[in-house]
């Protein structure tokens, strides 16, 4: 139990025998059996057998003599008084044997835990109890008196909640009952002081409030006690009446004050938004719980992001740095995170248009000979399933044309034109400044090919193509800059299987330089 040593065998006995218990045991020690002597010695720490022997010896030494027990002679009756009837002799008066009282403490110290069983001092909202006790200490009662007095004086009607606990030492069922009794004791005391709405709950044994057992023998109050009412103000000397306060919102002074407040709030919002954006705040692609985000290119708890902005906002170069609060930062962070989702948080679709130019120095064919340097132009309609600077899938409808010379020194001709569908995973790094994407593409169109083995005659023929490629693109500048927001450059490596109608299939490999413009 809460107040019983783990070695105690009796489930209902307090681990510490008080003086009254010791006296009761001493008084009846001479009538106990050997088994009862052993039980009392184990529970109360008192050797009743030895005490009984000492008392028996004391009684023998102080036994009353006949002279001690002889009744005093009755005085002679007064003259004329009736003769005395035979009254019984008075009983002999004996003194109680003087036996030494037990010298044990009222609450012995547990040798295993160092627990003396005493209650800790009460606080405004926490009442502490002695070991295995649900009785309020004088310190508890004083704290509850203050709480109730302030509650009643403030005219409050909010319900008060009392929660009781016990330490984990001993029997769990007993401790649960003890915790409920402690909560009941506090609730009953508050009700007696005029607090009508009091609820209570016993939470049982717990170690949550400290390793020492005393800290967990408690009952707690909520809400926080109201402040004591301030004493009435002493009237000062009568002086001139204070000037009238202008409360008209249409007055020029108040109009300016209102506008200044709005401007200061807008300035604080802009500072927060710029800082969060500059540090790359966006949804985390892995942890979608909402309590972690991408910040400075790493997964970061949202609480840490808010704390960082508030701390740096203390020195922000704005008129009212004090407006950069936890609530304000969290609100703007939420807006940015919603806007960073596909479609800016308003739609599941994020559609982009882009033109891509590619210069391909050489394409190798198997079978066949390499092509001359080629130029390729593609027009893409992209359905992005991710934020602008985030990572995710893209589905692209693409139309492209490729041109190169048939032979060195000849003029450039359009060699193929096709359209198809491309699926890619786009992985963004460095706040969207660096992008890598593996791609799969299937297209159909026409190409100039050698028909029926006529190697020197090229004719347009229906052609299908399947390709796999990898693309690395990057941009420069800051957000809001035209180049950063619209232009990316990089490299692309591709392997494709081309099937022209009436001509041999070929496996094509190339590496090209990419220039991409996004509308």
């Amino acid at each position: 139990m809460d107040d019983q040593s783990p070695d105690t065998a009796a489930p209902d006995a307090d681990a510490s025998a008080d003086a009254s218990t010791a006296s009761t045991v001493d008084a009846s020690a001479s009538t106990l059996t050997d088994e009862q002597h052993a039980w009392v010695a184990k529970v109360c720490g008192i050797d009743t057998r030895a005490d009984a022997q000492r008392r028996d010896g004391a009684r023998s030494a102080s036994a009353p003599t006949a002279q001690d027990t002889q009744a005093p002679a009755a005085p002679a009756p007064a003259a004329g008084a009736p003769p005395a009837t035979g009254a019984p002799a008075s009983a002999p008066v004996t003194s109680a044997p003087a036996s030494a009282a037990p010298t044990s403490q009222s609450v012995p110290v547990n040798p295993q835990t160092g627990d003396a069983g005493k209650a800790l001092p009460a606080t405004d909202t926490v009442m502490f109890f002695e070991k295995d006790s649900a009785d309020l200490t004088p310190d508890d009662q004083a704290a509850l008196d203050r709480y109730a007095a302030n509650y009643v004086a403030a005219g409050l009607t909010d319900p008060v909640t009392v929660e009781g606990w016990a330490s984990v030492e001993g029997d769990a069922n007993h401790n649960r009952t003890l915790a409920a009794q402690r909560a009941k004791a506090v609730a009953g005391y508050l009700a007696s002081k005029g607090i009508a709405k009091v609820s209570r709950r016993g939470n049982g044994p717990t170690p949550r409030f400290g390793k020492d057992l005393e800290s967990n023998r408690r009952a707690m109050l909520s809400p926080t006690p109201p402040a004591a009412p301030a004493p009435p103000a002493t009237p000062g000397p009568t002086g001139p009446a204070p000037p009238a306060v202008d409360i008209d919102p249409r007055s020029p002074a108040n109009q300016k004050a209102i506008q200044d407040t709005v401007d200061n709030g807008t300035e604080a919002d802009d500072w927060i938004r710029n800082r969060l954006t500059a540090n790359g705040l966006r949804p985390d692609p892995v942890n979608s719980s909402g309590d972690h985000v991408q910040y400075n290119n790493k997964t970061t708890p949202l609480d840490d992001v808010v704390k960082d902005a508030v701390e740096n906002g203390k020195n922000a170069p704005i008129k009212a740095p004090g407006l950069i609060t936890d609530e304000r930062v969290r609100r703007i962070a939420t807006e940015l995170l919603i806007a960073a989702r596909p479609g800016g948080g308003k739609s599941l679709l994020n559609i982009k248009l882009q033109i891509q130019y590619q210069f391909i120095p050489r394409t190798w064919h198997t079978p066949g000979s390499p092509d001359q340097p080629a130029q390729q132009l593609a027009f893409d309609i992209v359905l992005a399933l991710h934020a602008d600077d985030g990572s995710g899938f893209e589905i692209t409808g693409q139309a492209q044309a490729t041109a190169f010379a048939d032979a060195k020194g000849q003029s450039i001709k359009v060699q193929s034109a096709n359209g198809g569908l491309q699926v890619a995973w786009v992985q963004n790094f460095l706040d969207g400044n660096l992008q890598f994407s593996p791609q799969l593409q299937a297209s159909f169109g026409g190409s100039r090919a050698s028909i029926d083995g006529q190697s020197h005659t090229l004719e347009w023929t229906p052609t299908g193509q399947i390709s796999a490629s990898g693309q690395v693109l990057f941009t420069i500048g800051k957000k809001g800059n035209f180049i950063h927001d619209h232009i990316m450059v990089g490299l692309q490596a591709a392997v494709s299987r081309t099937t022209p109608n009436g001509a041999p299939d070929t496996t094509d490999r190339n590496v090209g330089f990419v220039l991409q413009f996004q509308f």
Side-chain angles (χ1 to χ4, degrees):
M1 64 183 68
D2 168 83
D3 297 12
Q4 178 184 14
S5 170
D7 297 331
T8 301
D12 295 326
D14 194 326
S16 302
D18 57 18
S20 63
T21 303
S23 300
T24 303
V25 173
D26 289 343
S28 59
S30 61
T31 64
L32 298 180
T33 66
D34 289 344
E35 182 179 359
Q36 290 170 331
H37 276 300
W39 184 88
V40 172
K42 182 176 182 180
V43 174
C44 301
I46 303 173
D47 189 350
T48 54
R49 183 181 288 106
D51 287 347
Q53 293 172 355
R54 286 196 300 271
R55 283 193 303 276
D56 290 342
R59 291 192 187 98
S60 298
S62 59
T65 64
Q67 181 179 359
D68 294 333
T69 58
Q70 181 177 2
T85 60
S90 61
V93 179
T94 62
S95 61
S99 59
T103 59
S104 59
Q105 297 178 354
S106 61
V107 183
V109 175
N110 188 321
Q112 297 180 357
T113 64
D115 175 20
K118 296 294 185 179
L120 297 177
T123 69
D124 288 342
T125 56
V126 182
M127 309 299 119
F128 290 100
F129 294 82
E130 292 187 349
K131 190 175 183 180
D132 199 24
S133 173
D135 296 334
L136 296 173
T137 67
D139 202 39
D140 293 340
Q141 294 177 354
L144 293 173
D145 287 341
R146 291 192 300 271
Y147 187 100
N150 293 343
Y151 183 98
V152 173
L156 300 180
T157 59
D158 297 338
V160 177
T161 300
V162 183
E163 297 183 82
W165 280 274
S167 64
V168 296
E169 185 183 25
D171 181 67
N173 290 330
H174 176 81
N175 288 339
R176 278 191 285 272
T177 301
L178 186 59
Q181 291 172 345
R182 288 170 174 169
K184 181 179 179 181
V186 173
Y189 193 89
L190 289 176
S192 71
K193 296 298 179 177
I195 299 180
K197 298 180 181 179
V198 185
S199 63
R200 66 178 191 267
R201 179 171 68 249
N203 292 322
T206 182
R208 62 180 285 191
F209 300 106
K211 295 182 179 179
D212 59 304
L213 300 176
E214 296 95 327
S215 297
N216 299 292
R217 298 167 184 152
R218 63 169 60 198
M220 297 177 63
L221 303 178
S222 61
T224 303
T234 303
T238 304
V245 178
D246 181 8
I247 60 173
D248 184 1
R250 296 167 296 180
S251 68
N254 286 338
Q255 284 287 316
K256 183 179 184 304
I258 293 171
Q259 188 60 49
D260 288 345
T261 302
V262 172
D263 292 344
N264 291 343
T266 302
E267 186 182 37
D269 288 351
D270 291 342
W271 185 92
I272 296 170
R273 189 174 290 105
N274 291 338
R275 178 171 182 82
L276 297 180
T277 303
N279 286 283
L281 176 69
R282 61 181 182 274
D284 187 76
V286 177
N287 190 327
S288 59
S289 63
D291 56 356
H292 284 71
V293 296
Q294 280 287 308
Y295 194 67
N296 286 326
N297 297 309
K298 62 181 180 181
T299 299
T300 306
L302 181 59
D303 289 343
D304 290 353
V305 173
V306 174
K307 186 184 300 182
D308 172 75
V310 172
E311 188 65 26
N312 284 275
K314 295 177 181 177
N315 300 317
I318 61 177
K319 295 179 180 178
L323 294 178
I324 301 175
T325 61
D326 183 282
E327 294 78 11
R328 204 178 202 101
V329 174
R330 196 174 295 275
R331 172 178 59 81
I332 294 175
T334 301
E335 294 173 359
L336 293 175
L337 291 171
I338 292 175
R341 299 187 182 278
K346 301 177 182 178
S347 171
L348 295 178
L349 304 179
N350 186 14
I351 299 177
K352 302 182 291 185
L353 300 178
Q354 63 188 33
I355 294 176
Q356 183 169 281
Y357 168 79
Q358 187 174 180
F359 174 72
I360 305 172
R362 184 63 58 93
T363 300
W364 293 269
H365 302 282
T366 303
S369 58
D371 288 335
Q372 295 297 311
Q375 301 181 63
Q376 187 179 82
L377 187 66
F379 179 77
D380 301 335
I381 300 177
V382 182
L383 174 61
L385 304 179
H386 62 86
D388 287 340
D389 295 331
S391 302
F393 282 105
E394 289 185 355
I395 301 174
T396 303
Q398 188 176 74
Q400 67 179 23
T402 305
F404 55 86
D406 291 336
K408 187 175 182 178
Q410 295 185 7
S411 60
I412 295 177
K413 297 180 180 179
V414 176
Q415 301 288 346
S416 66
N418 53 45
L421 191 67
Q422 174 181 284
V423 177
W425 171 266
V426 177
Q427 184 67 45
N428 274 292
F429 302 94
L430 303 178
D431 198 20
N433 291 323
L434 180 64
Q435 182 183 98
F436 169 73
S437 59
Q439 304 168 344
L440 290 175
Q441 182 183 40
S443 61
F444 182 80
S447 66
R448 297 177 71 239
S450 176
I451 306 300
D452 297 330
Q454 300 177 22
S455 58
H456 298 291
T457 302
L458 299 176
E459 299 180 7
W460 281 93
T461 182
T463 304
Q465 187 179 66
I466 298 176
S467 64
S469 60
Q471 192 177 75
V472 178
L473 300 175
F474 66 92
T475 186
I476 57 176
K478 297 182 179 180
K479 285 188 176 182
N481 180 283
F482 179 85
I483 295 177
H484 177 281
D485 293 345
H486 296 282
I487 298 176
M488 299 192 80
V489 295
L491 299 173
Q492 176 173 301
V495 176
S496 60
R497 185 69 176 177
T498 304
T499 305
N501 186 32
D505 294 355
T506 62
T507 300
D508 313 317
R509 302 174 303 281
N510 63 59
V511 176
F513 300 96
V514 179
L515 174 64
Q516 179 180 285
F517 180 85
Q518 187 177 105
F519 293 93

